Amino acid sequence: MAKGMKQLKETVKFLKKQYKHTPEIAVVLGSGLGNFINEIEIEQEIDYHDIPNFPVSTVPGHKGKLLFGKLSGKRIVAMAGRFHFYEGYCAAEVVFPIRVMKLLGTGVLLLSNAAGGVNPDFKIGDLMIIKDHISLNTVNPLIGKNVDDLGPRFPDMSEPYKKYLIAKAKEVAARLNVEVKEGVYYAVTGPTFETKAEYKMIHILGGDVVGMSTVQESIVANHMGMHVFAMSVITDMGLQDAVISHEEVLEAAKAAEPKFAAIFKGLIEAI
Ligand code: HPA
């Protein structure tokens, strides 16, 4: 058996024992966006510590729980807290829970994150639907022997964020009268925020926002044939802000959380 499958199967078997239903949709909640769990009719919650083979989150503001339950009539599994490359996990560890959620039966993955605004038309508190990404400054989680049971050696990435999900999210946003931007997410490893020269470079290269998560998860989800949707909350404006702090990022994400939650909830209903 290919390396990784043994642990995946063990974890999936454990979780299936804890929760008998099959979730349809997987959700990952980014920094400061954890209040979304209040929208879920929670049927089962399990600390990452208690899940075999799961890494454990070390960042303040990340709760570290896998939640199973119902939202808008759909069964979902949600990660309250994710794993980041900058914490010291290898890429395979960062994406392990995504693979687990796919093997639990989900076909759709909704990702969220706090991100730095690079596009000068954006402002703090804006929501941006990710229509594409640039991942040249991060480690591709598929490097290494391909796990053929999960997906192909050379996965297509022509539509990493499904157009039909983007269209549905825009419909929901219009109905709720919430403004959403659309753009390209430029992935970095962190943990440093960018220098002014780096923000400028990212803008020149076509990034509208920059962040330290999401892309590795999106890559493995695409590898496994999941349909991915992702949305950023703009928490700082790199080229304009004098200084950026994690506290400021969390605060801005928290302030925008109700808008974000309304859209995710509406999208789950519409899927
Ligand atoms: N850069 C990288 N990651 C981030 C930022 C940023 O400015 N804001 C929130 N996450």
Side-chain angles (χ1 to χ4, degrees):
M1 208 183 301
K3 195 166 170 277
M5 272 318 274
K6 188 172 164 288
Q7 287 94 329
L8 277 171
K9 284 190 173 165
E10 192 178 276
T11 305
V12 169
K13 193 171 160 197
F14 168 85
L15 291 171
K16 280 191 169 169
K17 256 195 215 139
Q18 310 288 315
Y19 186 70
K20 302 288 178 207
H21 306 287
T22 302
E24 286 176 65
I25 299 168
V27 180
V28 179
L29 300 171
S31 301
L33 302 173
N35 276 343
F36 182 76
I37 65 173
N38 299 328
E39 307 284 340
I40 308 171
E41 193 187 310
I42 296 172
E43 295 174 315
Q44 176 69 278
E45 77 178 59
I46 311 173
D47 279 3
Y48 292 160
H49 299 264
D50 298 328
I51 305 176
N53 305 315
F54 248 53
V56 175
S57 186
T58 63
V59 190
H62 289 252
K63 284 206 176 80
K65 277 183 197 167
L66 197 62
L67 306 166
F68 293 91
K70 281 197 221 162
L71 182 65
S72 308
K74 305 249 165 47
R75 283 225 150 77
I76 70 166
V77 51
M79 289 179 71
R82 59 146 63 87
F83 304 98
H84 304 83
F85 193 65
Y86 64 73
E87 292 177 84
Y89 303 111
C90 66
E93 288 173 312
V94 169
V95 300
F96 184 82
I98 306 295
R99 288 176 162 158
V100 166
M101 293 192 290
K102 166 70 164 79
L103 296 179
L104 285 171
T106 60
V108 174
L109 174 64
L110 308 184
L111 297 166
S112 61
N113 59 61
V118 174
N119 183 324
D121 296 338
F122 293 0
K123 59 183 188 310
I124 292 175
D126 277 352
L127 300 176
M128 189 198 85
I129 293 173
I130 300 177
K131 64 174 186 201
D132 208 343
H133 72 227
I134 299 174
S135 77
L136 303 175
N137 284 101
T138 55
V139 172
N140 193 307
L142 300 178
I143 289 173
K145 190 176 186 315
N146 187 52
V147 183
D148 296 331
D149 289 344
L150 296 178
R153 170 72 292 186
F154 298 108
D156 171 65
M157 286 296 277
S158 59
E159 200 184 335
Y161 305 94
K162 286 283 175 266
K163 289 194 182 111
Y164 82 93
L165 292 173
I166 293 174
K168 276 190 204 294
K170 282 162 97 175
E171 272 168 37
V172 170
R175 179 159 46 80
L176 298 174
N177 219 359
V178 173
E179 193 200 354
V180 283
K181 313 275 200 217
E182 225 179 305
V184 173
Y185 181 97
Y186 190 104
V188 291
T189 63
T192 42
F193 291 113
E194 290 61 47
T195 64
K196 300 288 179 218
E198 287 162 352
Y199 283 118
K200 197 169 163 191
M201 178 201 80
I202 291 164
H203 179 49
I204 291 167
L205 291 180
D208 293 296
V209 299
V210 53
M212 307 176 194
S213 66
T214 300
V215 158
Q216 290 174 323
E217 297 154 348
S218 168
I219 288 172
V220 294
N222 276 279
H223 179 237
M224 297 182 294
M226 293 180 92
H227 290 185
V228 181
F229 173 83
M231 193 158 70
S232 295
V233 176
I234 314 301
T235 56
D236 50 272
M237 287 299 296
L239 281 170
Q240 292 154 30
D241 295 347
V243 174
I244 300 167
S245 69
H246 184 56
E247 288 67 34
E248 176 191 354
V249 165
L250 288 181
E251 210 174 287
K254 225 170 157 185
E257 205 272 343
K259 280 195 301 186
F260 150 81
I263 293 186
F264 259 40
K265 194 176 166 189
L267 178 59
I268 288 170
E269 198 172 352
I271 287 171

